[in-house]
């Protein structure tokens, strides 16, 4: 029983993000003040800006999945989106506002922590210390356009399913962040889902850097998608 309690504490600490934070100073964004003129109409559900651990029960489908709070990064995701949109679309100088309907981040450490719990039960805390943390192969950020209704359908009790991934997306079952962006820029609304695994060449990836990658891909989708052919 003591071992199980210890593993639950480890799980809670891991889900807080404390065990995976890079030791380097976070990146800065020179010139971000230039986009202060862009008004952000934040239309997100209030919960999307708040942290939530969905379950600490190993048997739960929601185990080791959590929603990341806005204040986990500086700048926040919506603020960085406004800045990158300002850089990408000169037309925003004439229409200096964007609507953010969703910008929410989930961390999925389910497979990683279930493996840790199983090993802990088999070999105990001392054995776990000797084994150390597993390493995962590096991959690339995956971004796809989605229908914004997908986010509405998975609200409430099914919210944790937004953090799921397919075997094709993440064959090694690495810990991942899944970032959803749904924004209207210059009258055009585009929604995207961005899966961030351990990234090649970025062993110490800050969440705000993951935001930047996903935002770049989202804005590329914004340029390329015709509203008439957007995902349904």
């Amino acid at each position: 029983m003591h071992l199980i309690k210890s593993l639950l504490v480890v799980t809670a600490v891991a889900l807080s993000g404390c065990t995976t934070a890079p030791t380097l100073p976070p990146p800065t964004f020179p010139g971000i003040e230039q986009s202060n003129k862009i008004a952000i109409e934040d239309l997100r559900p209030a919960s999307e800006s708040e942290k939530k651990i969905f379950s600490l029960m190993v048997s739960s489908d929601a185990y080791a999945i959590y929603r990341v709070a806005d204040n986990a990064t500086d700048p926040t995701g919506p603020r960085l989106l406004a800045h990158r949109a300002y850089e990408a679309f000169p037309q925003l100088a004439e229409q200096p506002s964007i609507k953010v309907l969703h910008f929410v981040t989930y961390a999925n450490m389910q497979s990683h922590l279930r493996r840790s719990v199983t090993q802990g039960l088999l070999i105990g805390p001392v054995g776990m210390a000797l084994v150390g943390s597993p390493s995962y192969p590096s991959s690339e950020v995956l971004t796809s356009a989605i229908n914004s209704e997908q986010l509405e359908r998975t609200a409430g009790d099914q919210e944790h399913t937004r953090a799921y991934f397919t075997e094709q997306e993440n064959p090694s079952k690495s810990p991942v962040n899944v970032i959803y962006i749904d924004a209207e820029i210059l009258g055009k609304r585009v929604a995207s889902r961005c899966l961030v695994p351990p990234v090649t060449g970025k062993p110490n990836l800050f969440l705000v850097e993951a935001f930047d990658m996903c935002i770049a891909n989202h804005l590329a989708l914004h340029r390329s998608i015709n509203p008439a052919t957007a995902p349904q």
Side-chain angles (χ1 to χ4, degrees):
M1 180 61 71
H2 175 71
L3 175 58
I4 293 174
K5 287 182 178 178
S6 298
L7 289 169
L8 284 174
V9 170
V10 169
T11 298
V13 171
L15 288 175
S16 73
C18 297
T19 62
T20 58
T23 57
L24 301 172
T28 58
F29 299 89
I32 194 170
E33 69 282 352
Q34 296 174 13
S35 59
N36 286 342
K37 65 186 75 173
I38 304 299
I40 303 171
E41 189 175 351
D42 192 343
L43 302 176
R44 297 177 296 166
S47 62
E48 287 193 1
S49 65
E50 301 168 353
K51 178 178 176 179
K52 179 176 180 178
I53 297 175
F54 288 95
S55 178
L56 294 176
M57 297 298 296
V58 179
S59 59
S60 170
D61 290 341
Y63 172 67
I65 291 173
Y66 76 99
R67 187 198 310 126
V68 181
D70 264 9
N71 61 9
T73 65
D74 182 19
T76 66
R79 178 66 185 90
L80 187 57
L81 172 64
H83 178 60
R84 293 308 192 198
Y86 170 79
E87 292 180 326
F89 301 110
Q91 308 94 302
L92 278 175
E94 305 298 324
Q95 303 178 48
S97 68
I98 66 171
K99 294 180 180 179
V100 179
L101 297 102
H102 296 279
F103 196 119
V104 61
T105 303
Y106 301 94
N108 185 339
M109 302 177 68
Q110 195 170 88
S111 297
H112 170 74
L113 289 179
R114 276 183 174 152
R115 186 181 300 116
S116 297
V117 168
T118 300
Q119 288 178 337
L121 291 172
L122 291 173
I123 63 179
V126 175
M128 284 293 292
L130 293 174
V131 169
S133 299
S135 59
Y136 294 96
S138 298
S139 186
E140 301 297 333
V141 171
L142 302 175
T143 305
S144 57
I146 62 169
N147 188 322
S148 58
E149 290 183 4
Q150 178 179 332
L151 292 167
E152 314 308 328
R153 290 195 298 266
T154 53
D157 292 344
Q158 295 301 307
E159 185 182 357
H160 66 278
T161 64
R162 296 176 182 175
Y164 287 0
F165 50 78
T166 66
E167 184 175 357
Q168 183 178 7
E169 289 176 320
N170 187 17
S172 62
K173 297 184 179 179
S174 305
V176 296
N177 285 313
V178 185
I179 300 167
Y180 290 88
I181 303 173
D182 182 4
E184 184 177 313
I185 302 172
L186 298 171
K188 182 178 176 181
R189 181 177 177 180
V190 172
S192 67
R193 171 184 176 272
C194 184
L195 185 140
V196 186
V199 175
T200 302
K202 289 281 188 178
N204 296 301
L205 184 72
F206 281 89
L207 180 58
V208 74
E209 292 179 290
F211 284 172
D212 211 14
M213 294 175 181
C214 293
I215 287 169
N217 291 347
H218 179 87
L219 295 178
L221 285 173
H222 187 279
R223 292 189 192 92
S224 64
I225 287 178
N226 183 327
T229 59
Q232 299 297 317

